[in-house]
Amino acid sequence: MVTQGGDFHLIRRILAGDAVAERQLYDAHVDRVFRLAFRLTGDGAMAEDLTQDIFIRAFDRLQTFRGEGPLGAWLHRIATSVIYSALSKRRRVLEIEVPREDLEQMAAAGAGQNPDLRRRIDRAVADLDQPHRVVFVMHDLEGFTHQEIAAAMQTPVGTAKARLSRARRKLRGLLCESRPCLNAETSLGSE
Amino acid sequence: MDDDREFRELAETMARLHNPPPPTPRDRMWGRIAAARDARSSAVRPRLRARHALGIPGWRLAAAAVAVLAVGIGLGRMNGPRMETRMEPRMGPRTGSLPLSTTPGRPADGDRFRLAAIDLFGRAEIVLTDFRVGSCAARELQTVPAWAGGMLLQTRVLLDAPQALDPEVRALLEDLELVLAQIAGLSRSNCAQDMAWIRAGLRDRATLDRLRAAADDGIPLQSL
């Protein structure tokens, strides 16, 4: 992880035209950005397009980075903004009716890939409204901290935590009608 | 505590099954990013030329350009090369952080930026409120690219200004840039769908409320 002092040094080199530094910045952050875009869109091509757009915007605006926080937080703010805008253009993030060929691929993908379970999970997450879905995916699926999420979404940490709590409550309600949740022992038995 | 453990297990299952990301295609994406940036850096300035592709009449373009230049000159800055660095170390007590962009020392520049931004937000709120209830009638669509394109240029000048440091102001300018770009690119053939997307974006981001608040309450000087 690049330290804040390292961030400044890297940015100075980039703004001086150092192509190696540009690639370094990209390599340091692209995994998290791409994973987030993929988690939220479920679409590989779209996730790639969004990731590319995010980094192009970041490089375009690099000179405005003030260093009040880590460069990663600044970058993730751009990422959430770009992904938000893209998601708002789509009526649904996830296919609710999983196409038959996808079900067959899931079944063929390996032991324990339960298409019904996956569909239930996908439906439940899609049922969350956008801010709650983003917070849940960022924290519980991708490991962002509350502080990182708050910085990315430009909300207080308390708001981010509250959204996460509500998202979890709703998901628990949708997926844990019986105990254990998702009938875990039987669903996960062969994974 | 059992509930927490149960949800952790649930979250682990969801992480495995809900859109599990594939390996990041780093090199492929980097190639495209680098190509896009190369293409941009060799593109002919000014940006105004691109607006012709939207079918904006020349005289409207000229009027928008005058407004943009007026804002830019008023802010003490003309559009220049993107890669120009404005980084200077801050003098004073040593701290762990160095701001990478310094604001010019003159308070008047902050005032001018503030006034220009408030003016833009106020006008944008009015036209976007009207636009939101507008239709895809040919007569209405005819004037849209012109005002949207002009306002988009002004938004971008403000975004590029060194005074645009406040995160909330920047976020609002960026959201405004996005919606104006969408409106400027409105297509007659897909107008209804495009309008639906634009309205959804305005609603989801509460853009009109934020524009109204910024225009009514002003932008605090201390935030610049």
Side-chain angles (χ1 to χ4, degrees):
Chain A
M1 187 166 105
V2 185
T3 63
Q4 198 155 353
D7 283 348
F8 294 141
H9 182 60
L10 192 64
I11 292 169
R12 282 199 174 93
R13 285 169 54 202
I14 292 170
L15 292 176
D18 185 339
V20 171
E22 287 182 350
R23 183 65 198 249
Q24 251 181 288
L25 183 149
Y26 168 81
D27 282 336
H29 298 285
V30 66
D31 277 340
R32 280 189 110 191
V33 171
F34 175 75
R35 289 180 61 88
L36 182 62
F38 193 95
R39 284 280 192 191
L40 289 170
T41 61
D43 182 324
M46 188 172 187
E48 288 187 32
D49 284 347
L50 291 175
T51 302
Q52 287 153 200
D53 192 22
I54 288 161
F55 277 95
I56 289 169
R57 285 173 187 243
F59 283 124
D60 277 353
R61 295 186 178 148
L62 207 53
Q63 70 265 35
T64 67
F65 176 64
R66 279 195 296 168
E68 285 185 340
L71 179 62
W74 176 82
L75 184 63
H76 293 133
R77 189 173 87 65
I78 296 173
T80 52
S81 176
V82 169
I83 296 171
Y84 247 84
S85 298
L87 291 178
S88 72
K89 293 177 81 170
R90 282 173 53 163
R91 293 197 180 271
R92 302 203 82 103
V93 173
L94 298 170
E95 292 292 332
I96 298 302
E97 297 302 325
V98 181
R100 184 183 179 81
E101 54 271 25
D102 287 353
L103 286 176
E104 289 167 354
Q105 282 178 10
M106 287 177 196
Q113 298 294 332
N114 183 331
D116 290 333
L117 175 60
R118 185 190 297 262
R119 197 177 343 177
R120 281 185 64 200
I121 288 172
D122 289 349
R123 278 181 201 263
V125 176
D127 225 31
L128 297 172
D129 68 16
Q130 195 159 294
H132 292 87
R133 183 170 59 234
V134 170
V135 172
F136 169 73
V137 167
M138 288 182 84
H139 186 275
D140 284 350
L141 304 192
E142 285 300 310
F144 284 76
T145 64
H146 294 297
Q147 288 71 22
E148 287 176 318
I149 294 168
M153 298 181 76
Q154 290 199 288
T155 58
V157 172
T159 301
K161 287 183 175 178
R163 283 179 180 163
L164 178 64
S165 177
R166 280 195 290 274
R168 284 175 169 177
R169 200 159 49 241
K170 182 157 186 182
L171 288 169
R172 211 195 300 260
L174 290 170
L175 296 170
C176 299
E177 291 144 356
S178 57
R179 289 288 186 273
C181 280
L182 301 177
N183 216 3
E185 287 175 8
T186 55
S187 299
L188 302 177
S190 55
E191 286 193 336
Chain B
M1 290 296 114
D2 280 345
D3 276 353
D4 285 346
R5 186 171 57 85
E6 187 180 56
F7 193 85
R8 269 201 304 278
E9 289 171 1
L10 173 62
E12 284 167 14
T13 304
M14 295 176 78
R16 264 197 300 278
L17 296 183
H18 180 70
N19 293 343
T24 305
R26 287 172 173 248
D27 290 339
R28 180 165 69 231
M29 290 192 294
W30 178 251
R32 291 180 191 146
I33 291 166
R37 296 187 71 224
D38 286 344
R40 280 184 179 203
S41 64
S42 61
V44 178
R45 286 184 164 268
R47 284 196 194 110
L48 296 173
R49 179 177 299 207
R51 299 278 75 82
H52 279 296
L54 298 174
I56 299 175
W59 70 266
R60 288 189 186 273
L61 207 54
V66 168
V68 167
L69 290 174
V71 173
I73 292 169
L75 292 171
R77 181 186 182 282
M78 298 290 289
N79 279 344
R82 276 277 188 195
M83 297 301 286
E84 175 189 352
T85 174
R86 290 193 292 277
M87 294 189 301
E88 293 169 27
R90 181 174 58 196
M91 302 303 291
R94 248 180 315 176
T95 65
S97 66
L98 284 173
L100 294 184
S101 61
T102 60
T103 54
R106 299 181 301 164
D109 289 335
D111 279 341
R112 277 192 282 270
F113 173 86
R114 192 167 66 91
L115 291 173
I118 290 171
D119 174 68
L120 175 65
F121 292 152
R123 286 184 291 113
E125 190 261 331
I126 292 169
V127 296
L128 290 176
T129 301
D130 283 344
F131 174 82
R132 199 175 53 165
V133 297
S135 72
C136 290
R139 185 166 39 86
E140 290 195 34
L141 286 185
Q142 207 167 9
T143 62
V144 162
W147 65 255
M151 209 170 267
L152 178 60
L153 290 169
Q154 292 168 35
T155 303
R156 286 175 171 163
V157 168
L158 289 176
L159 267 172
D160 286 350
Q163 293 86 359
L165 300 177
D166 180 79
E168 282 190 27
V169 173
R170 284 202 67 81
L172 185 52
L173 284 169
E174 284 167 359
D175 286 347
L176 182 58
E177 179 192 26
L178 175 66
V179 73
L180 288 171
Q182 289 172 327
I183 293 171
L186 208 60
S187 75
R188 285 192 175 83
S189 59
N190 201 35
C191 177
Q193 181 69 67
D194 288 350
M195 292 277 271
W197 282 340
I198 292 167
R199 287 184 187 119
L202 285 171
R203 183 184 61 242
D204 289 350
R205 301 291 284 169
T207 309
L208 291 179
D209 290 341
R210 289 156 65 207
L211 286 169
R212 194 173 302 123
D216 289 348
D217 300 341
I219 301 167
L221 271 175
Q222 61 267 24
S223 72
L224 292 175

